[in-house]
């Protein structure tokens, strides 16, 4: 299973990189791939697509919990879409399980009929509204690409569904953070290990997992302690030796 997930992750990374490169070639003249610059313009384009949705809305929201006021606005949107018969699925990261505002929001949207799951880490922010997908075009997400090319949208939907299949339902019981942590800690630490082995810097790992760099360092310290390693180099050596046995 671990090898399968590693292979899937590598495929996602490679394809996401290709889509990212494709975004820089996008122009407003191409109706299938449209570049959008500026947060306001991106928000308006997504709102326009959402207002015309008829079948399905898929969203992948990385970077951990969102502000309570943002969730409040999102709840009203979910209520409107569900009322018109639109199916809605959302992926969050495991860290949102510890956020009270997110738990309240998920409880409400679940009652309305939306589905929410959490995952240790995934590709990047993604929104698919019927046959149009929105992906980031730069690291700080101030530019985006709206894609309506059927083959690309189909690939992105499949990538979402693969992540959805290995995600876990958002839990409401137990509500205690310590108990919730025991449920998601192994997956988070497996991701940290994999990303460290790949050579990702701390800042990128923290962002992909939706945690702070301080929290990441705390996880790494715990992992070193479990292995009785004095530093990251020794920890990597011990991982390698364990894999070879």
């Amino acid at each position: 299973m671990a090898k399968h997930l590693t292979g899937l992750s590598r495929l996602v990374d490679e394809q996401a990189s290709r889509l990212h490169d494709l975004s820089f070639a996008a122009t407003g003249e191409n109706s299938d791939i449209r570049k959008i610059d500026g947060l306001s313009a991106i928000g308006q384009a997504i709102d326009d697509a959402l207002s015309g949705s008829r079948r399905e809305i898929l969203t992948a929201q990385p970077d951990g919990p969102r502000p309570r006021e943002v969730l409040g606005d999102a709840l009203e949107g979910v209520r409107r879409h569900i009322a018109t018969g639109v199916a809605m699925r959302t992926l969050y990261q495991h860290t949102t399980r510890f956020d009270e505002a997110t738990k309240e929001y998920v409880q409400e949207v679940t009652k309305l009929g939306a589905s929410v799951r959490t995952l240790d880490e995934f590709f990047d922010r993604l929104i698919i509204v019927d046959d149009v997908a929105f992906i980031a075009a730069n690291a700080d997400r101030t530019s985006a690409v709206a894609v309506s090319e059927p083959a690309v949208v189909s690939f992105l939907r499949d990538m979402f569904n693969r992540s959805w299949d290995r995600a876990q339902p958002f839990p409401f019981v137990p509500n205690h953070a310590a108990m919730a942590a025991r449920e998601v800690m192994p997956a988070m630490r497996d991701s940290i290990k994999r990303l460290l082995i790949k050579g990702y810097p701390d800042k990128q790992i923290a962002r992909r997992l939706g945690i702070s760099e301080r929290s990441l360092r705390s996880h790494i310290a715990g992992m070193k302690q479990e292995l009785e390693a004095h530093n990251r180099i020794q920890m990597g050596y011990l991982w390698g030796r364990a894999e070879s046995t």
Side-chain angles (χ1 to χ4, degrees), residues 181-200:
R182 286 199 293 271
E183 294 181 352
V184 301
M185 190 74 73
M188 288 187 64
R189 290 199 169 178
D190 283 346
S191 291
I192 291 171
K193 174 182 175 181
R194 178 171 53 80
L195 294 170
L196 283 172
I197 290 173
K198 283 187 172 184
Y200 283 91

Side-chain angles (χ1 to χ4, degrees), residues 4 18 39 62 67 80 99 103 110 118 128 146 162-163 165 167 174 213 224:
H4 172 71
R18 292 176 187 173
L39 296 177
R80 289 195 303 271
D99 180 66
K103 286 193 287 187
T110 301
T118 69
I128 301 177
R162 286 170 182 262
S163 294
D165 288 343
E213 290 185 59
K224 286 191 294 186

Side-chain angles (χ1 to χ4, degrees), residues 36-240:
I36 310 168
D37 292 312
L39 296 177
S40 178
I42 295 170
Q44 186 61 58
I46 293 173
D47 287 344
D48 290 345
L50 291 171
S51 65
S53 177
R54 295 293 180 268
R55 301 191 309 276
E56 182 181 55
I57 297 171
L58 308 176
T59 58
Q61 299 285 1
D63 299 341
R66 293 185 294 167
R68 184 179 291 272
E69 56 273 17
V70 172
L71 293 172
D73 291 340
L75 177 59
E76 294 308 310
V78 171
R79 185 174 286 112
R80 289 195 303 271
H81 297 307
I82 293 292
T84 62
V86 176
M88 299 188 69
R89 287 184 289 156
T90 297
L91 273 173
Y92 287 127
Q93 288 173 291
H94 285 333
T95 50
T96 58
R97 293 174 177 229
F98 312 113
D99 180 66
E100 289 302 320
T102 304
K103 286 193 287 187
E104 293 170 10
Y105 167 79
V106 174
Q107 283 179 316
E108 291 300 317
V109 300
T110 301
K111 290 176 185 177
L112 293 171
S115 298
V116 180
R117 294 184 182 182
T118 69
L119 198 61
D120 48 353
E121 56 101 11
F122 45 86
F123 33 98
D124 202 341
R125 179 160 290 141
L126 170 66
I127 298 174
I128 301 177
V129 183
D130 292 340
D131 300 317
V132 180
F134 295 88
I135 58 175
N138 58 3
D140 59 7
R141 303 190 183 117
T142 56
S143 291
V145 175
V147 183
S148 56
E149 162 57 45
V152 179
V153 175
S154 177
F155 168 79
L156 291 170
R157 183 178 286 109
D158 180 64
M159 191 163 67
F160 180 95
N161 286 331
R162 286 170 182 262
S163 294
W164 181 265
D165 288 343
R166 60 190 181 91
Q168 300 176 23
F170 198 104
F172 301 110
V173 178
N175 287 320
H176 298 295
M179 298 180 72
R182 286 199 293 271
E183 294 181 352
V184 301
M185 190 74 73
M188 288 187 64
R189 290 199 169 178
D190 283 346
S191 291
I192 291 171
K193 174 182 175 181
R194 178 171 53 80
L195 294 170
L196 283 172
I197 290 173
K198 283 187 172 184
Y200 283 91
D202 286 4
K203 185 175 183 179
Q204 288 187 28
I205 295 174
R207 182 174 183 179
R208 289 183 64 145
L209 295 176
I211 60 178
S212 68
E213 290 185 59
R214 181 177 179 180
S215 294
L216 173 63
R217 288 192 291 270
S218 177
H219 280 293
I220 293 173
M223 293 162 73
K224 286 191 294 186
Q225 185 175 11
E226 288 177 0
L227 290 170
E228 298 183 352
H230 298 293
N231 51 51
R232 295 192 187 191
I233 293 175
Q234 187 181 15
M235 183 167 65
Y237 167 76
L238 293 172
W239 282 337

